[in-house]
């Protein structure tokens, strides 16, 4: 009770009365204002649904109500509820607090950073492992203790964990025990209703054999949740799964039957199963966004209609996806109703075709009921790759024109299916490009393998996307990609690309230019350059320190900026000391100048985060973080250039 009011009548984030929304995977009830923040986090963080105006399977709603009633919120606010641990002075927001920054920062810390979740004490060895937690989950789902299982999942237990001794997953155990609410929770956290046990039996088989018919039928619905949701969005009906698993809405009069749409449909059918699954999941998320928008509009006071801070105009960024896929997901918001309906019907039709094995290779038919999991292991990347520094200006311009992936033009006119599926085409183009590069000089293949073996192949691949702490947008995609160089084309870059007078003024187009061309006499190797292995070791140290700085930025630890920048500056100084003071190659000179100036500029920016004098202007941490990331990106870029140049010269 809070002031005589039941806690289920209050928002779990700010205590506003009568919350109308819930976060399904967190088991909390939330108000309209906090709902807008939850939605801006993305479905990978919080799955939001309205309690009264959204469609609910009864068992799913019961699962959420059970979690909310049994203290699920205490899992996410553990340290706030423990008086002995309240040292930082952090508090829950009040109803009167502003959505931004007070409520939004609290909600992001609570669910995105898991700042208040109880951390398990470490043992003398490796501590409690994910496998340990998953085994506990495997045992716990046979009981009705939902909050125990949610706590295990919050700590990292895997919903799809396959027990090596028992040969089953947690969902098999819950199905056999008839625990329908546990099954709902597991499915929300990604458990596959069609996963086989060691003998090939699915959780649905377990439920039927144990006489839990209602649970078995619900698991079938979960199996086809994606296609059911898409069909319901268009025609308001779902299949009964007794006479068929698909409803393909008939809306021929309003569909796009142009030649462009037909060509796009053929491209969709040509996608491999993995890319088709990703496209279907992205469209599912967009359907969820549009449905929640519709509910939002019907429940608001139209005299104070949705503000800019409350709206979620396109799908938020998911850092687990590539930059191109995230931008493609956001483009879905530009589809008008006719285009979006066309895409959904094409996906439903092709899901049915693939599930039935029509037109697929023999390996595509596995006999499983899942229309989107056909058991094909495609070794291709997610969508297109992120542009690297080695792409020339003309190639970047062409790629940007083909994909139209600039997220700043989301408000421009309608987008066609052809435009969206160009993302898929770019993947094939990228793959072909990689293959071509690997075949440019067959006589270098043996040398390349020797070099990869010598320095350990890929030195470090780390892709970091730091989100805007306030609104979830990108600040700067900091891509640190250090790899043994491939046979490469020469770009049009010049020394001016790396002139330190342009450090803060470079455009994204300039950032994409190729490496500076090497000077030197007639292509002869420079004997004054350091050993490749030494450069690599120093580069790894620089990169580790940059990662530490980015983590501090993501966790709002601004007091860590200065010590992190000092470590980076020290590592940069050690790396620069490997090279001669006056290198013979202009490319080395330019890279060293960029490295040193960026490290010095990083120190200057980080010092701005230090506590200021009383009366001094407040620090704009959002802008400061953006500038810090830009400096870190320049340092990483310069280090990568030095690795590339040194490796190339020594190879000669």
């Amino acid at each position: 009770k809070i002031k005589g009011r039941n806690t289920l009548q209050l928002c779990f984030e700010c205590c506003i009365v009568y919350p109308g929304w819930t976060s399904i995977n967190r088991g909390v009830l939330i108000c309209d204002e906090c709902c807008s923040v939850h939605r801006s986090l993305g479905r990978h963080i919080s799955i939001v649904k309205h309690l009264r105006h959204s469609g609910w399977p009864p068992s799913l709603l019961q699962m959420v109500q059970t979690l909310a009633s049994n203290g699920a919120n205490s899992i996410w606010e553990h340290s706030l509820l423990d008086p002995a641990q309240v040292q930082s002075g952090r508090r829950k927001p009040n109803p009167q607090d502003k959505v931004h920054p007070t409520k939004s920062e609290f909600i992001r810390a609570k669910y995105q950073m898991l700042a208040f979740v109880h951390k398990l004490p470490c043992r003398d060895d490796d501590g409690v492992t994910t496998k340990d937690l998953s085994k506990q989950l495997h045992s716990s789902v046979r009981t009705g203790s939902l909050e125990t299982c949610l706590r295990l999942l919050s700590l990292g237990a895997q919903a799809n964990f396959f027990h090596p001794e028992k040969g089953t997953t947690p969902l098999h155990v819950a199905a056999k025990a008839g625990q329908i609410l546990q099954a709902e929770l597991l499915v929300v956290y990604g458990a596959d209703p069609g996963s086989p046990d060691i003998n090939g039996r699915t959780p649905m088989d377990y439920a039927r054999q144990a006489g839990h018919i209602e649970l078995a039928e619900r698991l079938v619905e979960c199996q086809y949740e994606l296609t059911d949701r898409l069909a319901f969005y268009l025609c308001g009906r779902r299949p009964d799964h007794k006479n068929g698993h698909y409803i393909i809405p008939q809306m021929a009069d309003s569909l796009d039957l142009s030649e462009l749409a037909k060509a796009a449909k053929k491209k969709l059918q040509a996608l491999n199963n993995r890319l088709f699954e990703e496209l279907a999941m992205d469209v599912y998320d967009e359907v969820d966004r549009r449905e929640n928008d519709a509910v939002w509009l019907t429940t608001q006071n139209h005299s104070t209609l949705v503000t800019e801070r409350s709206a979620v105009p396109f799908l938020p960024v998911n850092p687990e996806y590539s930059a191109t896929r995230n931008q493609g997901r956001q483009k879905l918001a530009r589809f008008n109703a006719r285009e979006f309906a066309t895409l959904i019907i094409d996906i439903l039709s092709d899901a049915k075709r693939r599930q039935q094995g029509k037109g697929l290779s023999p390996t595509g038919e596995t006999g499983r009921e899942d229309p989107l999991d056909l058991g094909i292991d495609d070794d291709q990347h997610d969508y297109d790759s992120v542009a690297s520094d080695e792409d020339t200006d003309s190639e970047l311009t062409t790629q940007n024109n083909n994909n139209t992936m600039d997220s700043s033009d989301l408000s421009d006119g309608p987008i066609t299916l052809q435009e969206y599926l160009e993302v898929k085409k770019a993947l094939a183009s990228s793959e072909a490009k990689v293959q071509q590069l690997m075949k440019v000089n067959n006589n270098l293949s043996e040398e390349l393998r020797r070099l990869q073996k010598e320095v350990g192949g890929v030195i470090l691949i780390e892709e970091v996307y730091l989100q805007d702490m306030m609104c979830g947008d990108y600040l700067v995609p900091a891509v640190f990609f250090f790899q043994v160089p491939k046979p490469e084309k020469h770009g049009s870059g010049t020394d001016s690309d790396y002139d330190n007078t342009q450090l803060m003024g470079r455009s994204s187009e300039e950032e994409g230019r190729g490496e500076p061309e090497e000077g030197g006499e007639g292509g002869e190797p420079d004997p004054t350059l350091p050993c490749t292995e030494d450069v690599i070791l120093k580069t790894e140290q620089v990169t580790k320190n940059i990662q530490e700085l980015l983590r501090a930025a993501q966790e709002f630890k601004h007091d860590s900026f200065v010590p992190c920048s000092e470590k980076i500056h020290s590592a940069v100084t050690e790396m620069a000391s490997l090279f001669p003071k006056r290198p013979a190659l202009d490319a080395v000179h330019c890279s060293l100048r960029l490295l040193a100036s960026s490290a010095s500029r990083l120190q200057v920016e980080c010092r701005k985060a230090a506590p200021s004098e009383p009366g001094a202007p407040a620090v704009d941490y959002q802008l400061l973080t953006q500038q810090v990331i830009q400096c870190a990106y320049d340092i990483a870029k310069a280090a990568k250039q030095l690795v590339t140049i040194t490796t190339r010269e020594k190879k000669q």
Side-chain angles (χ1 to χ4, degrees):
K1 304 284 185 180
I2 297 180
K3 294 182 180 179
R5 191 178 295 277
N6 189 299
T7 54
L8 293 182
Q9 296 177 329
L10 301 172
C11 172
F12 283 32
E13 316 298 1
C14 68
C15 298
I16 286 181
V17 295
Y18 302 124
W21 298 80
T22 182
S23 173
I24 296 175
N25 58 325
R26 304 296 179 172
V28 298
L29 308 182
I30 50 180
C31 65
D32 286 357
E33 289 187 347
C34 293
C35 166
S36 68
V37 181
H38 274 258
R39 290 188 63 202
S40 72
L41 298 177
R43 283 175 53 85
H44 59 287
I45 301 293
S46 182
I47 304 173
V48 173
K49 205 174 184 71
H50 199 275
L51 287 167
R52 291 176 293 280
H53 294 276
S54 298
W56 281 92
S59 55
L60 181 61
L61 180 58
Q62 186 182 351
M63 183 270 288
V64 171
Q65 292 173 334
T66 302
L67 284 175
S69 301
N70 291 346
N73 197 42
S74 64
I75 296 173
W76 314 113
E77 295 184 358
H78 177 84
S79 61
L80 293 180
L81 300 175
D82 184 357
Q85 296 189 35
V86 181
Q87 303 292 337
S88 63
R90 197 72 179 262
R91 65 170 180 85
K92 286 173 66 75
N94 293 319
Q96 297 79 19
D97 287 330
K98 293 183 178 180
V99 178
H100 299 286
T102 308
K103 293 182 181 180
S104 63
E105 286 186 354
F106 173 79
I107 292 170
R108 288 181 183 278
K110 182 176 175 180
Y111 299 110
Q112 194 171 41
M113 310 303 178
L114 299 179
F116 315 124
V117 172
H118 174 60
K119 305 298 189 298
L120 291 177
C122 293
R123 300 192 307 235
D124 293 336
D125 48 12
D126 296 333
V128 179
T129 66
T130 299
K131 186 176 181 180
D132 295 331
L133 294 169
S134 299
K135 284 187 173 182
Q136 292 181 43
L137 178 67
H138 191 277
S139 299
S140 299
V141 293
R142 71 180 73 251
T143 73
S145 181
L146 280 179
E147 61 276 15
T148 298
C149 294
L150 180 61
R151 191 179 301 277
L152 291 169
L153 290 165
S154 73
L155 294 171
Q158 300 299 303
N160 270 319
F161 173 72
F162 187 86
H163 201 293
E165 289 84 24
K166 302 184 183 299
T168 56
T169 69
L171 193 54
H172 287 95
V173 177
K176 184 177 181 179
Q179 294 290 345
I180 190 169
L181 302 188
Q182 294 282 21
E184 291 283 5
L185 179 62
L186 291 169
V187 170
V188 165
Y189 273 83
D192 180 7
S195 60
D197 69 358
I198 195 171
N199 297 314
R201 294 183 299 167
T202 66
M204 291 168 282
D205 295 329
Y206 274 67
R208 290 191 187 99
Q209 291 169 5
H212 307 302
I213 305 304
E214 180 186 356
L215 174 52
E217 292 176 350
R218 176 61 187 144
L219 288 172
V220 173
E221 293 175 358
C222 293
Q223 183 84 353
Y224 290 91
E225 163 65 16
L226 191 152
T227 50
D228 285 3
R229 180 82 174 272
L230 299 188
F232 187 83
Y233 176 76
L234 288 185
C235 64
R237 293 189 299 117
R238 291 184 175 88
D240 59 11
H241 298 292
K242 295 177 181 177
N243 300 312
H245 296 302
Y246 299 93
I247 291 178
I248 312 297
Q250 300 298 317
M251 301 173 62
D253 292 342
S254 61
L255 293 183
D256 187 349
L257 299 178
S258 65
E259 292 301 319
L260 199 62
K262 292 178 181 178
K265 183 175 182 178
K266 290 181 179 179
K267 289 187 177 182
L268 183 146
Q269 293 174 342
L271 295 177
N272 64 52
N273 286 301
R274 176 174 296 179
L275 294 181
F276 178 75
E277 290 174 19
E278 290 173 355
L279 174 59
M281 289 188 289
D282 294 346
V283 171
Y284 177 95
D285 288 350
E286 175 64 13
V287 164
D288 182 78
R289 185 193 71 81
R290 294 189 183 205
E291 287 185 336
N292 278 334
D293 274 352
V295 171
W296 177 271
L297 289 171
T298 62
T299 57
Q300 296 306 297
N301 180 352
H302 287 259
S303 63
T304 57
L305 199 55
V306 185
T307 65
E308 184 178 293
R309 290 177 174 175
S310 299
V312 182
F314 47 78
L315 291 174
V317 169
N318 184 338
E320 294 183 2
Y321 296 159
S322 67
T324 306
R325 181 176 179 186
N326 274 311
Q327 291 166 337
R329 283 163 56 86
Q330 293 177 352
K331 287 285 186 177
L332 286 170
R334 288 177 51 196
F335 278 64
N336 61 35
R338 180 172 59 91
E339 293 165 344
F340 197 52
T342 303
L343 178 57
I344 289 175
I345 291 177
D346 286 346
I347 287 176
L348 289 170
S349 301
D350 213 52
K352 182 177 181 180
R353 177 185 68 83
R354 291 169 187 254
Q355 194 269 339
Q356 294 174 347
K358 295 179 180 179
L360 297 178
S361 62
T363 57
E365 181 62 47
T366 64
R368 291 178 57 180
E369 293 184 277
D370 188 351
L372 295 180
D373 185 4
L374 301 182
I376 294 181
D377 185 14
D378 298 303
D379 295 324
Q380 298 194 35
H381 297 291
D382 292 346
Y383 291 63
D384 195 10
S385 58
V386 178
S388 70
D389 297 328
E390 297 170 1
D391 291 317
T392 64
D393 288 343
S394 60
E395 287 173 329
L396 283 177
T397 301
T398 301
Q399 181 177 341
N400 288 338
N401 288 339
N402 286 341
N403 294 334
T404 61
M405 299 309 295
D406 184 2
S407 60
S408 66
D409 68 350
L410 286 171
S411 60
D412 297 345
I415 183 173
T416 64
L417 295 174
Q418 176 80 7
E419 184 180 352
Y420 183 73
L421 288 173
E422 282 298 327
V423 178
K424 307 297 185 177
K425 180 180 178 181
L427 173 70
S429 174
S430 176
E431 288 294 315
K433 183 177 176 183
V434 172
Q435 294 301 320
Q436 182 182 9
L437 287 173
M438 296 302 292
K439 296 177 181 178
V440 168
N441 288 315
N442 290 330
N443 60 332
L444 288 179
S445 59
E446 290 298 326
E447 176 67 14
L448 187 60
R449 281 194 290 270
R450 183 196 66 77
L451 186 59
Q452 287 176 325
K453 182 177 180 181
E454 180 179 342
V455 300
V458 176
I459 301 162
L460 178 63
I461 301 177
E462 182 68 22
E463 190 172 290
V464 180
Y465 297 103
L466 189 61
Q467 294 177 310
D468 186 328
M469 304 308 171
M470 297 296 294
C471 64
D473 295 332
Y474 279 124
L475 289 173
V476 175
V479 181
F480 309 130
F481 190 4
F482 302 127
Q483 190 174 27
V484 176
K486 304 184 290 288
E488 62 184 44
K489 53 201 175 300
H490 290 288
S492 58
T494 64
D495 291 348
S496 63
D497 291 334
Y498 309 101
D499 191 333
N500 58 12
T501 62
Q502 301 175 334
L503 287 176
M504 292 305 295
R506 280 195 301 276
S507 66
S508 59
E509 182 179 9
E510 289 171 327
E511 287 292 347
R513 292 182 179 176
E515 307 291 355
E517 293 184 8
E518 297 129 353
E521 301 294 332
E524 291 296 325
D526 186 350
T528 64
L529 289 178
C531 173
T532 302
E533 290 81 355
D534 291 342
V535 177
I536 290 170
L537 288 174
K538 298 300 181 184
T539 300
E540 288 178 340
Q541 187 59 48
V542 170
T543 305
K544 289 178 181 178
N545 291 331
I546 289 176
Q547 289 174 310
E548 183 180 349
L549 174 64
L550 293 180
R551 279 193 294 269
Q554 194 172 23
E555 296 172 2
F556 307 102
K557 296 179 179 178
H558 301 116
D559 55 344
S560 300
F561 278 15
V562 171
C564 285
S565 68
E566 297 293 341
K567 291 181 183 179
I568 293 172
H569 191 275
S570 176
V572 164
T573 302
E574 292 180 9
M575 183 175 183
S577 67
L578 298 176
F579 293 85
K581 292 184 178 180
R582 295 184 178 180
L585 297 177
D586 290 341
V588 174
H589 175 73
C590 291
S591 298
L592 287 171
R593 183 170 58 184
L594 176 62
L595 188 71
S597 62
S598 299
S600 297
R601 184 161 49 89
L602 177 66
Q603 285 186 302
V604 173
E605 295 295 339
C606 287
R607 289 187 187 120
K608 296 178 182 178
S612 56
E613 297 294 329
V619 178
D620 185 345
Y621 285 109
Q622 181 177 345
L623 177 61
L624 175 62
T625 301
Q626 186 169 1
Q627 304 217 7
V628 165
I629 294 173
Q630 180 63 57
C631 295
Y633 176 80
D634 289 337
I635 293 171
K637 180 178 179 180
K640 186 239 181 181
Q641 291 168 3
L642 291 172
V643 172
T644 302
I645 295 168
T646 305
T647 305
R648 184 188 302 129
E649 288 296 312
K650 292 301 181 180
K651 185 167 61 177
Q652 291 181 5

